Amino acid sequence: MRIAIIGSGIAGSLLAKNLDGVAGVTVDLYERVAPGEHDGAGTGLNLGPNGFKALRLHDPETHARLRAASWEWRSWVVELVDGTRLLDLDLLDLADEPGARLRWSELYALMREPVLARTRYGHEFIALEEDSAKRLVPVFKTPSGETIRNGGYDLLVAGDGRFSKLRELTCGPIQSQQMGIGIWRLLTSDAGSPFDDYRQWFCGNNRLLAYRVPGGHVYACGVFALGGETIDAHHKTEEFRRACFLPKDKPPCPSVAWILDRAAAQENDLHWARLQVSPLQRGDESGRVLLLGDAAQAMVPTLGQGATQAIEDGVIAASILRKGGGVKAIAAARDARVEFVRDFSLEATDTMLGADPVAGTKAKAGPDFLAKLKKLYRDVPGP
């Protein structure tokens, strides 16, 4: 079986690594960027405990390397912007092991290192053809403008993210749903930060989030109502940010004041995005295309499950392919699980989508929500 993976992100790199040496299987991994181009990319992220359980069960070597490169995500604390405590969860009461905090760039480097030698960098996927044996032939363009075809493949795997070109060409246009929510993200120095592990602060339905990550940094994120579907110039002003996240009748807690001051000082470093989701799609009708990670299931980031589900996808798809299974078997193993995660992540976003932030947050300490968190964190199948 000849397999081409488009995109060396989390799912693509894990799939390639875990198919290494499988008899009768050859894997080519293609990446648009040059080696090292993402070395300083992105901000920070938190990985859920279920991602680590998936690695421990399927890829203990990567589990050990990722643990060594990250800091534990163990607590989930939620407050109002004046410091009033609403929720304080210990993830080890719900999961088999803690999650993790680290920089995106560190995660990229860690996932790509084992497959570095076999990755064809500088290959931008631009088109799709078919050979005489009805196998799919991906077409690439290099930075020099050269067009590359490396023959037909029995299986093409999309690991090229939520705007997947492979998904678009084989399954039709991606119908993303906008949630009317804007997001800014910042990676800043942790000097003077009055917090460590995962914290959230609400001002109405607007939410700040922050935590420290290795390397002397803090990842901070602000989520706010757009009042439409576009991020406009006024959304990017300090005045607007402070109106979103400062209490009206009392001073902010030290953590909120620190985050807003850092955002003001590094306004040009803020990364901007909109909250959006796209429908789950595991493959095309022919069974020759497999979609993994955000290419298959872009979801809201509320529970830290975007990258985490890409981890689950990569190692579980590899386990099934090693046994001779195909796209249908992977869909059977993954799709119900992913739909649960997507629905639960959206449910957990209620306090940013209009629900009362105090009552909605306190409900997350109730038995129904905690039972779903335990299912999320623990129900990961082994090989």
Side-chain angles (χ1 to χ4, degrees):
M1 185 183 210
R2 191 165 187 245
I3 300 174
I5 303 173
I6 313 298
S8 65
I10 298 168
S13 293
L14 282 172
L15 181 65
K17 177 183 183 294
N18 285 278
L19 290 177
D20 187 34
V22 176
V25 176
T26 61
V27 177
D28 293 325
L29 180 56
Y30 297 94
E31 173 55 50
R32 176 181 56 84
V33 305
E37 190 170 321
H38 283 160
D39 283 355
T43 49
L45 80 157
N46 53 306
L47 293 171
N50 47 305
F52 279 91
K53 183 170 184 177
L55 289 172
R56 178 164 49 83
L57 295 173
H58 293 269
D59 187 348
E61 188 271 336
T62 300
H63 179 278
R65 290 195 303 121
L66 186 52
R67 275 283 176 228
S70 60
W71 286 346
E72 288 188 353
W73 170 29
R74 177 163 174 171
S75 67
W76 180 7
V77 173
V78 184
E79 299 175 338
L80 297 178
V81 288
D82 64 8
T84 302
R85 183 68 55 91
L86 301 177
L87 182 73
D88 189 349
L89 295 180
D90 185 335
L91 297 194
L92 287 186
D93 291 336
L94 307 163
D96 297 325
E97 57 184 297
R101 299 169 277 143
L102 74 164
R103 294 179 60 175
W104 266 108
S105 56
E106 293 295 329
L107 181 62
Y108 277 133
L110 185 144
M111 292 295 178
R112 287 171 171 166
E113 192 275 332
V115 294
L116 191 64
R118 81 184 70 171
T119 304
R120 304 185 187 203
Y121 284 97
H123 280 60
E124 180 184 2
F125 174 56
I126 60 171
L128 199 57
E129 298 173 354
E130 194 173 71
D131 67 10
S132 59
K134 301 297 183 182
R135 298 186 304 174
L136 294 175
V137 180
V139 182
F140 303 93
K141 180 169 286 189
T142 68
S144 66
E146 182 183 7
T147 299
I148 303 291
R149 296 172 178 84
N150 289 317
Y153 290 91
D154 302 294
L155 181 67
L156 293 187
V157 181
D160 51 347
R162 66 171 59 227
F163 303 111
S164 169
K165 181 74 170 180
L166 181 55
R167 174 170 174 168
E168 180 183 350
L169 290 178
T170 57
C171 304
I174 302 171
Q175 302 296 327
S176 295
Q177 177 187 351
Q178 297 293 331
M179 312 298 290
I181 300 291
I183 307 170
W184 55 258
R185 298 182 173 98
L186 175 67
L187 193 69
T188 186
S189 167
D190 68 358
S193 65
F195 50 82
D196 178 26
D197 206 348
Y198 186 96
R199 302 278 292 273
Q200 296 177 347
W201 300 267
F202 276 96
C203 184
N205 296 116
N206 299 324
R207 189 202 71 184
L208 289 172
L209 177 153
Y211 46 84
R212 293 176 66 233
V213 295
H217 292 91
V218 161
Y219 168 62
C221 170
V223 179
F224 57 93
L226 282 173
E229 291 194 353
T230 61
I231 297 176
D232 299 321
H234 80 277
H235 293 127
K236 298 184 177 184
T237 64
E238 180 183 358
E239 180 183 12
F240 180 83
R241 283 194 304 277
R242 292 188 180 277
C244 283
F245 300 112
L246 287 178
K248 292 181 173 55
D249 54 355
K250 58 183 71 174
C253 67
S255 295
V256 168
W258 187 90
I259 293 167
L260 293 177
D261 286 346
R262 286 304 179 93
Q266 295 180 240
E267 195 166 81
N268 293 334
D269 298 326
L270 298 179
H271 298 247
W272 297 88
R274 294 175 296 167
L275 197 67
Q276 57 186 298
V277 297
S278 56
L280 171 62
Q281 180 83 38
R282 187 59 60 193
D284 70 343
E285 294 180 355
S286 73
R288 299 177 296 177
V289 174
L290 171 65
L291 310 179
L292 298 178
D294 275 356
Q297 61 224 15
M299 62 185 72
V300 295
T302 309
L303 296 176
Q305 287 297 306
T308 307
Q309 287 304 305
I311 290 174
E312 287 192 23
D313 265 4
V315 295
I316 292 173
S319 176
I320 291 169
L321 290 170
R322 284 198 304 267
K323 298 173 185 175
V327 176
K328 288 185 178 180
I330 294 167
R334 290 293 297 143
D335 286 3
R337 163 79 171 167
V338 168
E339 288 288 16
F340 161 73
V341 175
R342 285 163 51 85
D343 290 346
F344 184 36
S345 295
L346 191 58
E347 175 187 338
T349 312
D350 63 333
T351 45
M352 290 179 280
L353 295 174
D356 180 84
V358 175
T361 299
K362 290 182 176 180
K364 292 176 173 59
D368 290 344
F369 192 89
L370 294 182
K372 290 180 181 179
L373 267 182
K374 289 180 181 179
K375 179 179 178 180
L376 172 66
Y377 292 154
R378 291 177 172 166
D379 286 5
V380 180

